[in-house]
Amino acid sequence: MTKTKRDSYHHGDLRSALISAAEEIIAAEGVEGFTLRKAARKAGVSPGAPTHHFGSMAGLLTQVARRSYEALGKQLAGAAEGLEGNAALRALTAVYVRFARDNTGRFRLMGRTDLIELEDDDLRAAAYRAMRPLAAAAAGTRGLGVPTPEFERLDPRLIAAIAPAHGLAHLATEGRLAATMRSGEVDAQAQDALVDEVLRALWP
């Protein structure tokens, strides 16, 4: 009997394959274009496999969001090495904005509280680890301590310091950074230069 692709997967491999398939769909079509059936088809498995392994669409998307935070964390780690104060905050924010621009679908999913399981322990841990360098830099500019993973409420001064990063990131995902320039087509290098100027205006 001929072995099919779905027969050849081990349990862990199938979960990983489905997460990777979901990432590819979201990268190409955005989360709006994602369905469990599409993920199963791309992974080459039965239509019921995603639900069997993740329980629901939210379960699978939560794992995509977790891996997205892990990818963000790798880019933020070390991005401010040797820097402090406003310079560190500018460097980390620039990386954050570039990640959002270059991974629009995944970045938008990370903020979709209606589509992912926010109380998932692995997701929360990945989000904390990823955002810690940015939070630490922002806290340093305000004379604050870095929040622990068990924080109950973020200090409003810390929120104020981090908010510009989120705002610029969302402008980048919506193409609004390019819209601030006369030319209709603005390459990534020009957008990076604009972000740098904005950050220096915010945090000299």
Side-chain angles (χ1 to χ4, degrees), residues 129-147:
R129 286 193 301 268
M131 295 300 294
R132 191 183 189 286
L134 182 58
T141 65
R142 302 299 174 103
L144 303 171
V146 183

PDB file of all heavy atoms in Angstrom, residues 129-147:
ATOM      1  N   ARG A 129       8.961  37.449  26.809  1.00  0.00           N
ATOM      2  CA  ARG A 129      10.382  37.356  26.449  1.00  0.00           C
ATOM      3  C   ARG A 129      10.701  38.259  25.257  1.00  0.00           C
ATOM      4  O   ARG A 129      11.737  38.927  25.228  1.00  0.00           O
ATOM      5  CB  ARG A 129      10.752  35.908  26.111  1.00  0.00           C
ATOM      6  CG  ARG A 129      10.852  34.998  27.325  1.00  0.00           C
ATOM      7  CD  ARG A 129      11.526  33.680  26.952  1.00  0.00           C
ATOM      8  NE  ARG A 129      10.788  32.968  25.903  1.00  0.00           N
ATOM      9  CZ  ARG A 129       9.863  32.068  26.144  1.00  0.00           C
ATOM     10  NH1 ARG A 129       9.514  31.772  27.391  1.00  0.00           N
ATOM     11  NH2 ARG A 129       9.254  31.449  25.149  1.00  0.00           N
ATOM     12  N   ALA A 130       9.806  38.270  24.278  1.00  0.00           N
ATOM     13  CA  ALA A 130      10.051  39.069  23.077  1.00  0.00           C
ATOM     14  C   ALA A 130      10.073  40.558  23.382  1.00  0.00           C
ATOM     15  O   ALA A 130      10.947  41.298  22.913  1.00  0.00           O
ATOM     16  CB  ALA A 130       8.987  38.763  22.029  1.00  0.00           C
ATOM     17  N   MET A 131       9.105  41.012  24.172  1.00  0.00           N
ATOM     18  CA  MET A 131       8.938  42.441  24.407  1.00  0.00           C
ATOM     19  C   MET A 131       9.818  42.972  25.528  1.00  0.00           C
ATOM     20  O   MET A 131       9.925  44.191  25.701  1.00  0.00           O
ATOM     21  CB  MET A 131       7.466  42.741  24.721  1.00  0.00           C
ATOM     22  CG  MET A 131       6.519  42.462  23.564  1.00  0.00           C
ATOM     23  SD  MET A 131       6.898  43.447  22.099  1.00  0.00           S
ATOM     24  CE  MET A 131       6.525  45.100  22.701  1.00  0.00           C
ATOM     25  N   ARG A 132      10.448  42.088  26.294  1.00  0.00           N
ATOM     26  CA  ARG A 132      11.220  42.544  27.447  1.00  0.00           C
ATOM     27  C   ARG A 132      12.314  43.550  27.080  1.00  0.00           C
ATOM     28  O   ARG A 132      12.472  44.561  27.781  1.00  0.00           O
ATOM     29  CB  ARG A 132      11.816  41.355  28.198  1.00  0.00           C
ATOM     30  CG  ARG A 132      12.391  41.758  29.556  1.00  0.00           C
ATOM     31  CD  ARG A 132      13.050  40.615  30.295  1.00  0.00           C
ATOM     32  NE  ARG A 132      13.397  40.998  31.661  1.00  0.00           N
ATOM     33  CZ  ARG A 132      14.396  41.793  32.003  1.00  0.00           C
ATOM     34  NH1 ARG A 132      15.180  42.302  31.052  1.00  0.00           N
ATOM     35  NH2 ARG A 132      14.623  42.107  33.271  1.00  0.00           N
ATOM     36  N   PRO A 133      13.103  43.331  26.012  1.00  0.00           N
ATOM     37  CA  PRO A 133      14.137  44.334  25.698  1.00  0.00           C
ATOM     38  C   PRO A 133      13.563  45.722  25.436  1.00  0.00           C
ATOM     39  O   PRO A 133      14.117  46.723  25.912  1.00  0.00           O
ATOM     40  CB  PRO A 133      14.809  43.757  24.449  1.00  0.00           C
ATOM     41  CG  PRO A 133      14.557  42.293  24.519  1.00  0.00           C
ATOM     42  CD  PRO A 133      13.190  42.163  25.111  1.00  0.00           C
ATOM     43  N   LEU A 134      12.452  45.783  24.709  1.00  0.00           N
ATOM     44  CA  LEU A 134      11.828  47.076  24.432  1.00  0.00           C
ATOM     45  C   LEU A 134      11.269  47.689  25.704  1.00  0.00           C
ATOM     46  O   LEU A 134      11.442  48.891  25.959  1.00  0.00           O
ATOM     47  CB  LEU A 134      10.725  46.906  23.384  1.00  0.00           C
ATOM     48  CG  LEU A 134       9.995  48.174  22.934  1.00  0.00           C
ATOM     49  CD1 LEU A 134      10.962  49.196  22.351  1.00  0.00           C
ATOM     50  CD2 LEU A 134       8.920  47.825  21.899  1.00  0.00           C
ATOM     51  N   ALA A 135      10.621  46.852  26.528  1.00  0.00           N
ATOM     52  CA  ALA A 135      10.070  47.352  27.790  1.00  0.00           C
ATOM     53  C   ALA A 135      11.175  47.832  28.709  1.00  0.00           C
ATOM     54  O   ALA A 135      11.040  48.858  29.397  1.00  0.00           O
ATOM     55  CB  ALA A 135       9.244  46.257  28.469  1.00  0.00           C
ATOM     56  N   ALA A 136      12.301  47.095  28.733  1.00  0.00           N
ATOM     57  CA  ALA A 136      13.414  47.477  29.598  1.00  0.00           C
ATOM     58  C   ALA A 136      14.009  48.812  29.159  1.00  0.00           C
ATOM     59  O   ALA A 136      14.332  49.670  29.992  1.00  0.00           O
ATOM     60  CB  ALA A 136      14.484  46.396  29.583  1.00  0.00           C
ATOM     61  N   ALA A 137      14.153  49.002  27.848  1.00  0.00           N
ATOM     62  CA  ALA A 137      14.697  50.268  27.342  1.00  0.00           C
ATOM     63  C   ALA A 137      13.747  51.420  27.657  1.00  0.00           C
ATOM     64  O   ALA A 137      14.180  52.501  28.081  1.00  0.00           O
ATOM     65  CB  ALA A 137      14.938  50.165  25.840  1.00  0.00           C
ATOM     66  N   ALA A 138      12.455  51.192  27.452  1.00  0.00           N
ATOM     67  CA  ALA A 138      11.472  52.235  27.741  1.00  0.00           C
ATOM     68  C   ALA A 138      11.458  52.561  29.229  1.00  0.00           C
ATOM     69  O   ALA A 138      11.412  53.736  29.626  1.00  0.00           O
ATOM     70  CB  ALA A 138      10.084  51.782  27.272  1.00  0.00           C
ATOM     71  N   ALA A 139      11.507  51.524  30.055  1.00  0.00           N
ATOM     72  CA  ALA A 139      11.513  51.738  31.501  1.00  0.00           C
ATOM     73  C   ALA A 139      12.739  52.529  31.921  1.00  0.00           C
ATOM     74  O   ALA A 139      12.669  53.406  32.803  1.00  0.00           O
ATOM     75  CB  ALA A 139      11.479  50.395  32.226  1.00  0.00           C
ATOM     76  N   GLY A 140      13.869  52.249  31.293  1.00  0.00           N
ATOM     77  CA  GLY A 140      15.094  52.947  31.639  1.00  0.00           C
ATOM     78  C   GLY A 140      15.029  54.437  31.371  1.00  0.00           C
ATOM     79  O   GLY A 140      15.614  55.238  32.119  1.00  0.00           O
ATOM     80  N   THR A 141      14.305  54.815  30.326  1.00  0.00           N
ATOM     81  CA  THR A 141      14.201  56.248  30.019  1.00  0.00           C
ATOM     82  C   THR A 141      13.279  56.977  30.993  1.00  0.00           C
ATOM     83  O   THR A 141      13.292  58.203  31.052  1.00  0.00           O
ATOM     84  CB  THR A 141      13.680  56.477  28.585  1.00  0.00           C
ATOM     85  OG1 THR A 141      12.330  55.986  28.476  1.00  0.00           O
ATOM     86  CG2 THR A 141      14.568  55.797  27.562  1.00  0.00           C
ATOM     87  N   ARG A 142      12.475  56.228  31.721  1.00  0.00           N
ATOM     88  CA  ARG A 142      11.528  56.821  32.669  1.00  0.00           C
ATOM     89  C   ARG A 142      11.915  56.555  34.122  1.00  0.00           C
ATOM     90  O   ARG A 142      11.142  56.864  35.027  1.00  0.00           O
ATOM     91  CB  ARG A 142      10.109  56.303  32.414  1.00  0.00           C
ATOM     92  CG  ARG A 142       9.576  56.567  30.997  1.00  0.00           C
ATOM     93  CD  ARG A 142       9.505  58.044  30.684  1.00  0.00           C
ATOM     94  NE  ARG A 142       9.134  58.310  29.307  1.00  0.00           N
ATOM     95  CZ  ARG A 142       7.922  58.696  28.918  1.00  0.00           C
ATOM     96  NH1 ARG A 142       6.963  58.848  29.813  1.00  0.00           N
ATOM     97  NH2 ARG A 142       7.681  58.937  27.640  1.00  0.00           N
ATOM     98  N   GLY A 143      13.055  55.943  34.347  1.00  0.00           N
ATOM     99  CA  GLY A 143      13.481  55.640  35.711  1.00  0.00           C
ATOM    100  C   GLY A 143      12.613  54.599  36.383  1.00  0.00           C
ATOM    101  O   GLY A 143      12.449  54.619  37.613  1.00  0.00           O
ATOM    102  N   LEU A 144      12.090  53.656  35.607  1.00  0.00           N
ATOM    103  CA  LEU A 144      11.196  52.629  36.128  1.00  0.00           C
ATOM    104  C   LEU A 144      11.869  51.268  36.110  1.00  0.00           C
ATOM    105  O   LEU A 144      12.812  51.038  35.350  1.00  0.00           O
ATOM    106  CB  LEU A 144       9.915  52.561  35.292  1.00  0.00           C
ATOM    107  CG  LEU A 144       9.094  53.845  35.162  1.00  0.00           C
ATOM    108  CD1 LEU A 144       7.992  53.665  34.133  1.00  0.00           C
ATOM    109  CD2 LEU A 144       8.510  54.228  36.516  1.00  0.00           C
ATOM    110  N   GLY A 145      11.349  50.358  36.902  1.00  0.00           N
ATOM    111  CA  GLY A 145      11.812  48.986  36.858  1.00  0.00           C
ATOM    112  C   GLY A 145      11.132  48.233  35.725  1.00  0.00           C
ATOM    113  O   GLY A 145      10.063  48.628  35.247  1.00  0.00           O
ATOM    114  N   VAL A 146      11.764  47.145  35.286  1.00  0.00           N
ATOM    115  CA  VAL A 146      11.182  46.334  34.217  1.00  0.00           C
ATOM    116  C   VAL A 146      10.061  45.475  34.804  1.00  0.00           C
ATOM    117  O   VAL A 146      10.253  44.835  35.838  1.00  0.00           O
ATOM    118  CB  VAL A 146      12.249  45.419  33.584  1.00  0.00           C
ATOM    119  CG1 VAL A 146      11.649  44.631  32.425  1.00  0.00           C
ATOM    120  CG2 VAL A 146      13.440  46.240  33.126  1.00  0.00           C
ATOM    121  N   PRO A 147       8.879  45.457  34.184  1.00  0.00           N
ATOM    122  CA  PRO A 147       7.781  44.635  34.721  1.00  0.00           C
ATOM    123  C   PRO A 147       8.157  43.157  34.749  1.00  0.00           C
ATOM    124  O   PRO A 147       8.894  42.676  33.890  1.00  0.00           O
ATOM    125  CB  PRO A 147       6.638  44.871  33.720  1.00  0.00           C
ATOM    126  CG  PRO A 147       7.002  46.115  32.996  1.00  0.00           C
ATOM    127  CD  PRO A 147       8.493  46.170  32.969  1.00  0.00           C
TER     128      PRO A 147
END
